[in-house]
Amino acid sequence: MKQIIVQSLVSSTQTAVIKGNKLVELLIEDNIHKKTKSNIYRGIVKNIKPGIEAAFVDIGFEKMAYLPIKSSDNIKNGMEVLIQINKEGVGTKAPKLTQEISLSGRYLVLIPSNDRITISNKILEEKERFRLKKIVKSFNKEKLGIIIRTEAVNCDIDKLKEDFDLLIKRYQEILKQFKLGIGPKLLYRELDLDTKYIKDNINEDIDKIVINDKTKYDEIKSILSNINKDYIQKLVLEENKDVFDLYKVSKEIEKALSKKSMA
């Protein structure tokens, strides 16, 4: 059986995956410089550069973000645009934006601006590919763009439809927030690394999920309730405690580092 131990600190969030009392995976995310890739914003077009087919957009950052455009795009200065960060800004480079919004669920990815249904290349069995595509087509009445993720293998229609409905609901809420107020605004923040890992990997093999932060606990509890309410029983809150010490994760990290230095 597996345990997932999430240690929230001021500077970082560390997620350890323990299997049979051994550390099998360690994820670390910087909390000081939070990633912005996949976040969705309401931006204001400030400067159009036809020569380089680009528009510079104010999304509330110190630097303007960069949106590739075509001459056929109906984009004007002062226009509000719904955009998603496609690439982080690094150094002097501005964040790169896209108007093709994508929202990732547990089994599906919703891309409302196109009408293609595509399937993860990791799903190799042709019969399963056909089955999944047929199911998604049955409830995708508006013919929205969908990517069927690897995690969808062997899923029944109820699980896929529930994931689809959650993504539609999330997108509708983003559109609603886009229309409220004026000026640059963050409309949707991508899940933290630890939360995304739990959402994508939770199953019957996970025995326990230990968290030391109440806000994080509530967020993951809400996500698990949408996947399977029984999974909530796996959650344990050890508020403000050093859970890596409490669950002997620190010792496992020391062992792993020791083996690496000896190799």
Side-chain angles (χ1 to χ4, degrees):
M1 298 294 277
K2 287 184 183 178
Q3 293 183 338
I4 300 173
I5 317 295
V6 181
Q7 174 102 300
S8 292
L9 306 170
V10 174
S11 60
S12 66
T13 299
Q14 302 167 359
T15 306
V17 182
I18 306 293
K19 186 176 181 181
N21 295 322
K22 289 189 177 180
L23 179 70
V24 293
E25 203 164 353
L26 180 65
L27 309 172
I28 300 174
E29 184 169 36
D30 184 351
N31 286 341
I32 305 299
H33 304 97
K34 281 279 190 182
K35 71 179 183 69
T36 57
K37 186 179 177 183
S38 298
N39 287 356
I40 299 171
Y41 297 81
R42 177 175 63 215
I44 309 297
V45 178
K46 291 291 185 179
N47 194 358
I48 297 173
K49 298 283 189 181
I52 58 170
E53 296 188 317
F56 289 93
V57 182
D58 181 3
I59 59 173
F61 289 14
E62 285 184 23
K63 294 178 184 174
M64 294 289 174
Y66 160 79
L67 175 67
I69 58 171
K70 297 172 185 174
S71 56
S72 58
D73 290 341
N74 185 28
I75 290 182
K76 299 174 183 176
N77 283 325
M79 180 182 285
E80 291 186 340
V81 285
L82 180 67
I83 47 81
Q84 187 166 30
I85 293 185
N86 194 31
K87 193 174 181 181
E88 301 269 0
V90 180
T92 57
K93 286 189 176 181
K96 186 179 179 182
L97 307 175
T98 178
Q99 287 185 286
E100 185 170 75
I101 305 299
S102 66
L103 292 169
S104 180
R106 181 168 165 85
Y107 307 114
L108 307 171
V109 178
L110 175 69
I111 308 173
S113 60
N114 73 47
D115 59 1
R116 297 184 300 276
I117 296 176
T118 55
I119 304 177
S120 166
N121 291 329
K122 292 181 181 178
I123 303 177
L124 302 175
E125 191 182 331
E126 203 58 42
K127 189 176 179 182
E128 179 64 359
R129 291 173 68 88
F130 179 80
R131 184 188 75 87
L132 289 170
K133 199 165 186 177
K134 186 178 179 182
I135 288 173
V136 171
K137 277 185 175 179
S138 73
F139 55 68
N140 184 20
K141 303 298 183 185
E142 293 183 26
K143 297 183 179 179
L144 302 172
I146 297 286
I147 298 172
I148 301 171
R149 303 183 65 191
T150 310
E151 289 80 2
V153 169
N154 297 325
C155 274
D156 59 26
I157 187 170
D158 290 339
K159 285 184 179 178
L160 294 171
K161 176 71 164 57
E162 187 176 18
D163 202 42
F164 177 79
D165 289 343
L166 283 169
L167 290 172
I168 292 291
K169 186 178 177 182
R170 188 183 303 162
Y171 181 61
Q172 288 172 342
E173 181 59 29
I174 288 167
L175 292 180
K176 180 182 173 183
Q177 290 300 318
F178 176 75
K179 294 172 184 175
L180 293 174
I182 57 171
K185 182 181 179 182
L186 173 64
L187 303 173
Y188 172 77
R189 187 187 297 279
E190 181 63 10
L191 294 176
D192 292 338
L193 188 61
D194 55 299
T195 309
K196 192 173 190 307
Y197 180 89
I198 291 168
K199 184 196 78 172
D200 290 345
N201 292 278
I202 184 67
N203 56 39
E204 299 302 328
D205 292 339
I206 306 294
D207 182 46
K208 189 183 289 185
I209 303 168
V210 181
I211 299 163
N212 72 338
D213 179 81
K214 181 65 165 60
T215 303
K216 177 69 65 180
Y217 173 87
D218 290 339
E219 179 187 15
I220 292 172
K221 184 178 179 181
S222 174
I223 287 169
L224 294 182
S225 70
N226 287 322
I227 297 172
N228 184 337
K229 287 185 170 60
D230 291 341
Y231 289 160
I232 295 173
Q233 297 171 21
K234 300 174 186 285
L235 270 180
V236 177
L237 176 64
E238 300 278 9
E239 195 167 8
N240 300 325
K241 293 181 182 177
D242 184 340
V243 287
F244 269 26
D245 188 50
L246 194 63
Y247 287 82
K248 300 181 173 57
V249 176
S250 298
K251 287 184 179 179
E252 283 300 306
I253 294 172
E254 285 174 17
K255 281 182 192 176
L257 291 173
S258 177
K259 286 180 183 176
K260 192 174 180 180
S261 63
M262 290 172 68

